[in-house]
Amino acid sequence: MIYNSPRGTEDYFGEEIKYRNFLIEVSKRLFDLFNYSEIITPHFEHTEVFSRGIGENSEIVNKEMYTFFDKKNRSLTLRPEGTASVVRAVIENKLYSENLPLKLFYIGNMFRYERPQKGRMREFCQIGVEAIGSNSPSIDTEVIWLLYDLFEKLGFKNLVLYVNSIGCSRCRNDYINMLEEQLLPVKGDLCEDCISRLGKNTLRIFDCKVKTCREVLKNVAKISDNLCESCQKHFIEIKSLLDTIGIKYVHNKNLVRGFDYYTRTIFEIISSDIDSAQNALGGGGRYDNLIKEFGGPEISSIGFAIGLERTILLMKELGIRIPASCKPENKTYIINMDTAYDKYIFEILKFLRDSGIYCDINFNIRNVGKEIKFAQNNDYKNVIIIGEDEYEKKNIIIKKLLSYSQEEFSWISDKEKILNFLKKME
Ligand code: HAM
């Protein structure tokens, strides 16, 4: 019997792991630079954390949660996103009593019961940040800058950063009433999904890809044109600060996002190199009421998350490679021609690895030609072959695979020279 991994999940190994580690490394370096520290929360929470946090009428809560009852009949849910969990953790651990804003990042797997397709999985990894405890437009700008910078550092070129403001709960409610009044007379032109969104989750109609719905939306009022004075000022300030630091953005008046907790600023980063519904590499927004709703103090926050698999998929499609500096230099491959030399081999391996040289060996004895071919195909720069002669004389021969030069050294007296030769780029 051969088992498959569940639909929408994947195993990761080989090159994929190198991409994942690279992405995580670049993110962590940048988060450090922006003074974000890591938070780790559980992979599952009490269901209410998400149903209340994300919103009962949201698609995620309605259709996509992995909810189960444990042996004590408690309803638990595998986290579909990180923000609600981080907020729960911040309140529970009273982290808000420290210096605010509290700048946190997280890296971890999320679970959504979505229809799997390219770039859309049921288990996927998000890298996210949350800046807790500031309502300044400056922090919005910094968070957006961080998101943008991350993709630039990864080597992406054609990025489009969408920003929009969906107002505070007051101006949004007024706007939604107006939108519903405008949509009711043309309800017949909307698709079935949008008809069911109308009145329950009206703003999400802006997300619909159906042509007739898009036509209807062209003629309705947009939220960012109907903000209260204070929300308007906040949004103008963000745009002006983004201009100051030279980050190009598009004010997308149709941008809405699928979480009820958002207020004011929302944003998304997409790649114009992909023409697919799954082109959002990351997104986020401000949430000014969530912490209070979860029983915490009245403090505002903002954050974003990016999808790791989706980002890697696109890096590969665009031919963005992991820079050579992230790969070990002077990789050295040792070829043992007989198990009788194992002790000698272990001495060499121990010394080289202790000296910081990346080296490996296949302990299964194979033919030398095959071994050299393997080393060539796997980025090795040096090969050390240990045969009878080398073993008897306690010598080692190092071959440079690029220049085909080779030198012989005494294992007893030439250790420094061996290291220098291995490190020599040729
Ligand atoms: P989100 O837009 O739902 O936001 O997810 C962020 C990113 O996660 C997406 O842009 C996408 O790259 C990736 N993603 C989402 N769903 C999937 C999936 N099924 N398969 C693969 N990748 C996926 C959030 O989750 C918010 N919590 C972001 C946030 C943080 N807002 C404020 N703070």
Side-chain angles (χ1 to χ4, degrees):
M1 177 76 175
I2 293 179
Y3 298 104
N4 297 325
S5 74
R7 198 162 129 75
T9 69
E10 258 180 54
D11 304 309
Y12 301 106
F13 42 83
E15 190 68 4
E16 184 72 23
I17 294 289
K18 290 186 187 158
Y19 271 95
R20 291 174 83 92
N21 289 343
F22 169 65
L23 188 44
I24 290 170
E25 246 172 64
V26 172
S27 309
K28 282 189 169 173
R29 233 179 294 139
L30 202 60
F31 295 156
D32 216 28
L33 214 60
F34 279 68
N35 197 23
Y36 280 76
S37 56
E38 186 163 10
I39 182 161
I40 299 176
T41 62
H43 282 77
F44 57 88
E45 298 275 352
H46 292 290
T47 300
E48 229 184 306
V49 169
F50 304 116
S51 54
R52 281 200 58 199
I54 301 170
E56 296 282 1
N57 286 328
S58 66
E59 253 142 69
I60 293 185
V61 172
N62 258 325
K63 301 189 200 146
E64 297 172 4
M65 295 216 300
Y66 278 94
T67 297
F68 58 96
F69 289 92
D70 73 359
K71 291 191 194 314
K72 290 251 167 79
N73 229 21
R74 285 171 290 227
S75 178
L76 299 171
T77 294
L78 295 184
R79 61 181 182 192
E81 59 109 42
T83 311
S85 306
V86 169
V87 165
R88 194 268 311 137
V90 165
I91 297 168
E92 186 173 342
N93 297 290
K94 295 202 168 51
L95 300 181
Y96 50 80
S97 51
E98 290 167 20
N99 196 27
L100 294 179
L102 177 66
K103 303 210 263 182
L104 300 169
F105 79 85
Y106 51 91
I107 298 172
N109 286 12
M110 308 293 158
F111 307 83
R112 294 185 193 172
Y113 192 84
E114 292 195 82
R115 196 165 48 79
Q117 51 177 272
K118 198 170 156 204
R120 192 160 73 191
M121 340 256 310
R122 289 184 172 167
E123 181 179 15
F124 57 97
C125 181
Q126 276 189 350
I127 301 178
V129 307
E130 311 294 343
I132 313 268
S134 171
N135 59 13
S136 160
S138 306
I139 197 92
D140 299 46
T141 311
E142 196 195 50
V143 165
I144 295 172
W145 166 21
L146 178 55
L147 173 70
Y148 194 84
D149 223 22
L150 178 53
F151 283 100
E152 288 229 305
K153 293 260 169 350
L154 291 171
F156 283 89
K157 296 268 182 301
N158 302 320
L159 299 175
V160 184
L161 173 67
Y162 286 139
V163 295
N164 197 15
S165 175
I166 51 166
C168 59
S169 40
R170 256 179 314 119
C171 57
R172 189 175 354 156
N173 278 344
D174 291 345
Y175 164 77
I176 288 174
N177 287 337
M178 175 167 77
L179 179 66
E180 285 169 356
E181 269 173 32
Q182 292 183 0
L183 287 174
L184 270 174
V186 287
K187 192 174 162 184
D189 297 334
L190 295 175
C191 72
E192 251 174 59
D193 278 347
C194 284
I195 292 174
S196 69
R197 282 174 187 139
L198 194 58
K200 267 202 294 181
N201 204 0
T202 313
L203 217 49
R204 287 294 282 183
I205 295 179
F206 278 100
D207 246 359
C208 187
K209 304 281 181 291
V210 175
K211 214 170 151 203
T212 48
C213 297
R214 302 232 58 90
E215 282 303 314
V216 169
L217 291 172
K218 276 186 192 163
N219 305 315
V220 298
K222 304 297 184 301
I223 181 134
S224 58
D225 297 325
N226 291 279
L227 299 173
C228 64
E229 209 183 314
S230 140
C231 288
Q232 212 173 40
K233 229 175 114 201
H234 189 94
F235 192 41
I236 289 172
E237 181 66 13
I238 294 166
K239 290 189 284 181
S240 136
L241 287 172
L242 286 173
D243 289 337
T244 306
I245 51 173
I247 290 183
K248 290 200 180 70
Y249 58 85
V250 174
H251 174 194
N252 179 353
K253 293 187 176 186
N254 286 335
L255 181 67
V256 290
R257 293 191 26 86
F259 302 88
D260 282 5
Y261 52 62
Y262 287 131
T263 49
R264 293 188 162 178
T265 324
I266 53 168
F267 50 95
E268 228 161 52
I269 197 153
I270 65 154
S271 168
S272 54
D273 289 312
I274 27 170
D275 185 24
S276 131
Q278 264 54 257
N279 64 357
L281 298 169
R286 170 167 280 287
Y287 44 99
D288 290 335
N289 307 322
L290 186 60
I291 298 190
K292 184 157 183 275
E293 275 166 24
F294 270 23
E298 205 166 343
I299 50 175
S300 318
S301 305
I302 180 162
F304 71 73
I306 71 158
L308 185 110
E309 293 79 8
R310 209 176 275 188
T311 303
I312 291 174
L313 200 74
L314 192 59
M315 283 174 79
K316 288 181 177 167
E317 271 182 23
L318 297 177
I320 299 177
R321 305 197 61 80
I322 302 174
S325 61
C326 289
K327 293 187 177 164
E329 282 175 4
N330 306 304
K331 282 175 69 177
T332 299
Y333 194 66
I334 304 181
I335 302 174
N336 183 8
M337 292 178 64
D338 196 313
T339 49
Y341 318 141
D342 275 2
K343 274 196 178 154
Y344 184 33
I345 293 284
F346 265 83
E347 261 180 58
I348 299 172
L349 268 176
K350 177 85 170 66
F351 170 72
L352 294 183
R353 285 178 176 162
D354 284 352
S355 310
I357 300 282
Y358 176 108
C359 61
D360 202 10
I361 180 169
N362 185 340
F363 289 112
N364 300 329
I365 305 297
R366 293 191 300 187
N367 139 326
V368 179
K370 231 185 199 169
E371 288 277 69
I372 291 187
K373 197 154 253 155
F374 172 83
Q376 281 166 331
N377 291 340
N378 286 278
D379 258 358
Y380 284 92
K381 302 287 182 287
N382 307 301
V383 161
I384 298 174
I385 303 176
I386 302 297
E388 189 179 356
D389 206 38
E390 290 76 27
Y391 177 71
E392 295 295 338
K393 291 193 200 147
K394 282 275 181 231
N395 274 358
I396 72 167
I397 295 174
I398 304 174
K399 274 184 197 294
K400 290 274 174 197
L401 285 180
L402 287 180
S403 62
Y404 287 107
S405 64
Q406 72 171 51
E407 266 185 48
E408 188 163 357
F409 300 91
S410 154
W411 175 244
I412 310 298
S413 55
D414 287 341
K415 296 243 176 29
E416 270 313 300
K417 286 187 191 155
I418 290 172
L419 289 181
N420 288 336
F421 189 71
L422 288 174
K423 287 176 187 165
K424 227 162 91 179
M425 301 288 258
E426 56 174 79

